[in-house]
Amino acid sequence: MEEELKCPICKKFYTNPVLLNCGHSICLACAVGLQSPAIQSDFEQQDFDKLSLNSETDSGIICSSRPNSYIGTPNSASLLALQSTVVLQCPVCKRLIWLDASQGAAALTRNRALARIVEKQRKDDMQYCQICGEEATDICEQCEVFYCKTCKQACHPNSGPLSNHNFIAANEGSTVLKLKQDGNCKEHSQVLSTYCMDCKILVCSVCCQRHIDHESVPIGNASKAQKNRLSLRLQQLSEKAKTASEFCQRLKSAENEIETNAYQLQANLVEQFDRLMRSITTKRDKLVEQIAKEREVKLQQLRDRATDCKRQLQKTNGFIQFSIELLKESDSVAFLQTASPMMCRAAEAERFFLKKFDRETVATEFDIAVDLHPVTEVVENIKFTPLQPPKSPKIVRNRCSVQGNSVTVAWLAQADNFVLELDDGSGENFHKVYSGKDRVCTVDGLLYGTVYKARVAAFNSAGGSPYSPCVSFQTEQSSFNFNRQSVHVDDEDLFRI
């Protein structure tokens, strides 16, 4: 909340804060220091605000019923015609505020509510009794005099015409004296009693004549309505702040999960690479470094999100505390001067949470993995050069099959090449039907309804193995039936041949 009570220019607690019509506040002295004569480049900017040159009661709101006020966006020629115009740029939103050079920043509305909150929060200078010079304890609102406890009793006895005077604490007295006269219309010195709903400004009974066609309500009703709206908005904002707090906790938990998963991934990676030969150690170290970098990227993203979340949460909490203090404001005039800007700021903060925290957090899982299967196969297949021929292969019956006139044969053996042979159906005269490195082969084009025997031999650089034991396969019966009665004579003679 302390940041809400400091001027964005001098970075100190507000002193005589004035309210810009963009909704932000600055110290009066800072505003005077910021104002400068208007130049051509200022006129060419399209996004600026116009303050009435006639009265402070406009509070920077353009009203078509006010004479001599800017209406709409003035062109360069009309503005250059105003020889006594100064411009002030808001240090927060960079919007331009146009002022009459005769009054300048002094024409800006005093932010009374903000001044009271600042006075309440900071340590004030000690006030002294204006009668005896001792430390003052109270100030009389009617007499506007600081009293110590003794002089207060002497000058304001419990009976008599002065007994009905109101007293407030001395530490709030200086603010009351400065702001007491701000409750009246600067133009007509009348009490500000009405709030114009169309122009969003406070007006006195005389100013009401200029707003006769506008919707106006008593300031008490307007203040109550605005307080209700702001309270509802703050309640919604508090829920968002609660969600943000839980979001920060999830970010913290995610950080621990990332650490755990990263170290587990590194441990598994090291364990896998320890099985490999020394020649791939360099590759292992590079992959470990890559994971470490990925972890740092994720952690940095996580920290950035957490820092952003905490910073916004801190600002939001400060804004909420400030708004709560503002809701305690009993002066309707002072409250209404800041109610609309506060509503806008609350909505902006809520939009921030919707934008920032509806998004998914940083993924705790790593989208990388090490596939050692090809390398493992290479390692497992590393072997010495054989000094003797391989053993006889073994045909695996449960992996063999027959379909129509085709036979599939599968076998197991440790060798470089294999030869599959089938007989001619008589159990003799084997013929080679396959030669290669595969351990499964399908032979097509065999005779239907015939029994074949198969055998396999294995070969390496040292020689060949004995043939495997023969395995018999019978092809399926053909679905084609030959009928001699339907054969033509010429065809039958051909058949006999």
Side-chain angles (χ1 to χ4, degrees), residues 20-60:
L20 305 179
N21 52 334
C22 61
H24 299 105
S25 297
I26 57 176
C27 298
L28 177 58
C30 296
V32 174
L34 280 180
Q35 66 183 17
S36 60
I39 57 177
Q40 178 66 29
S41 60
D42 294 331
F43 299 146
E44 294 174 353
Q45 297 188 37
Q46 296 299 318
D47 184 17
F48 57 83
D49 297 301
K50 289 75 63 176
L51 183 67
S52 170
L53 306 180
N54 209 33
S55 172
E56 183 185 5
T57 57
D58 278 340
S59 302

Side-chain angles (χ1 to χ4, degrees), residues 135-357:
E135 181 180 352
T137 59
D138 301 279
I139 181 176
C140 177
E141 286 191 288
Q142 286 73 26
C143 302
E144 298 184 0
V145 176
F146 288 95
Y147 294 100
C148 64
K149 187 175 182 179
T150 303
C151 295
K152 170 187 173 183
Q153 185 64 29
C155 299
H156 290 75
N158 294 332
S159 61
L162 302 181
S163 61
N164 294 327
H165 285 196
N166 296 325
F167 288 88
I168 59 176
N171 58 354
E172 300 179 2
S174 58
T175 301
V176 173
L177 292 180
K178 293 176 183 178
L179 303 178
K180 186 175 180 180
Q181 57 184 349
D182 286 344
N184 296 335
C185 176
K186 297 297 182 180
E187 183 179 1
H188 306 108
S189 299
Q190 299 291 325
V191 176
L192 297 172
S193 58
T194 307
Y195 184 75
C196 179
M197 301 295 290
D198 294 341
C199 301
K200 307 296 183 184
I201 59 173
L202 294 166
V203 294
C204 66
S205 58
V206 179
C207 293
C208 283
Q209 300 300 321
R210 300 173 181 154
H211 301 261
I212 191 171
D213 295 330
H214 296 175
E215 180 183 0
S216 301
V217 296
I219 59 174
N221 296 345
S223 176
K224 182 178 179 180
Q226 292 282 37
K227 283 185 176 182
N228 290 338
R229 293 179 61 189
L230 182 57
S231 297
L232 180 60
R233 183 70 69 180
L234 290 177
Q235 182 179 0
Q236 297 172 349
L237 186 58
S238 298
E239 293 297 327
K240 296 298 180 182
K242 180 181 178 181
T243 303
S245 179
E246 296 174 352
F247 182 76
C248 289
Q249 293 297 327
R250 292 197 299 271
L251 291 178
K252 182 63 178 177
S253 300
E255 181 178 358
N256 297 332
E257 292 181 10
I258 288 178
E259 291 285 357
T260 302
N261 294 338
Y263 285 118
Q264 288 179 351
L265 183 60
Q266 289 184 6
N268 293 335
L269 183 66
V270 172
E271 181 181 358
Q272 291 174 344
F273 271 85
D274 285 344
R275 301 173 186 174
L276 302 179
M277 299 178 62
R278 189 183 298 273
S279 60
I280 62 174
T281 301
T282 302
K283 184 65 176 179
R284 179 200 65 187
D285 295 337
K286 289 182 179 180
L287 291 179
V288 171
E289 182 180 359
Q290 180 180 348
I291 292 177
K293 290 181 179 179
E294 182 70 14
R295 181 196 65 187
E296 291 301 324
V297 170
K298 286 180 175 290
L299 290 177
Q300 186 60 44
Q301 293 175 350
L302 193 67
R303 295 187 189 106
D304 292 343
R305 294 286 299 278
T307 300
D308 188 24
C309 176
K310 290 177 182 178
R311 179 169 56 252
Q312 186 63 28
L313 182 61
Q314 182 180 6
K315 292 176 61 179
T316 302
N317 288 336
F319 174 73
I320 292 175
Q321 294 179 16
F322 172 73
S323 301
I324 291 174
E325 291 296 330
L326 185 63
L327 290 173
K328 298 177 182 179
E329 177 60 40
S330 59
D331 190 333
S332 299
V333 175
F335 173 79
L336 288 174
Q337 289 176 341
T338 58
S340 295
M342 294 299 291
M343 291 289 295
C344 294
R345 292 185 60 188
E348 182 179 359
E350 184 177 0
R351 287 193 298 270
F352 176 87
F353 283 119
L354 289 174
K355 179 180 179 181
K356 292 286 184 181
F357 301 119

